[in-house]
Amino acid sequence: MSRLWSSETQYPGRRFTQIIKLRPECVDKYKAAHAAVWPEVLEQIRDCNIHDYSISHDPESRMLFASFKYVGDDYAGDMKRMQQNPKVREWWKMTDGMQESLVPGAQDSESGEPSWWKPVEEVFYAA
């Protein structure tokens, strides 16, 4: 990734959006888990340069929409560090069981590629 900023300016970040389906029998459990995210998971998210992370739910389609901004300069390295955290892997195992991936061949969050959450293209953003 080429840098389009100078050392005097702050890197603006790269935005990501992803989708996945929530199992209908897991809605309450999923919301409860995210109302009390484990501190170790939150700390790892911040340590891996992820900001403005949100997950939204559409009950009619059962879709979860995640968006976040990555503000680091080594996304692959930061995601590898996240994957190495045992508490994060425990969290993923719990939440993956509540989800249905839309990505053919995806096994779980820990496996990496193909990704568990389906990346989607951002077509508009206004700051």
Side-chain angles (χ1 to χ4, degrees):
M1 178 179 193
S2 66
R3 293 184 184 217
L4 301 175
W5 67 95
S6 70
S7 59
E8 294 84 36
T9 62
Q10 182 181 8
Y11 175 53
R14 178 176 164 205
R15 298 172 48 79
F16 288 82
T17 307
Q18 306 166 319
I19 58 173
I20 201 163
K21 274 200 169 188
L22 183 60
R23 296 182 187 278
E25 69 276 14
C26 297
V27 172
D28 292 338
K29 185 176 177 183
Y30 191 85
K31 287 181 179 182
H34 284 82
V37 177
W38 303 340
E40 301 91 344
V41 172
L42 293 173
E43 182 179 348
Q44 188 67 59
I45 288 169
R46 284 187 296 271
D47 288 349
C48 288
N49 297 300
I50 292 175
H51 293 206
D52 299 326
Y53 193 173
S54 69
I55 300 174
S56 301
H57 176 240
D58 174 40
E60 290 178 25
S61 67
R62 299 190 295 123
M63 298 298 289
L64 293 170
F65 301 84
S67 69
F68 60 88
K69 184 186 283 188
Y70 176 72
V71 297
D73 59 9
D74 181 11
Y75 183 75
D78 281 334
M79 295 308 100
K80 184 173 180 125
R81 282 190 313 114
M82 183 168 311
Q83 186 179 30
Q84 293 171 345
N85 183 314
K87 204 66 173 174
V88 169
R89 289 197 314 272
E90 185 181 345
W91 176 265
W92 286 345
K93 185 173 182 171
M94 175 186 66
T95 58
D96 285 2
M98 300 180 216
Q99 302 163 340
E100 299 173 15
S101 181
L102 301 169
V103 179
Q107 297 175 23
D108 55 36
S109 292
E110 191 174 348
S111 296
E113 293 299 324
S115 65
W116 184 243
W117 283 70
K118 182 178 181 178
V120 294
E121 177 185 8
E122 181 177 81
V123 295
F124 176 76
Y125 173 73

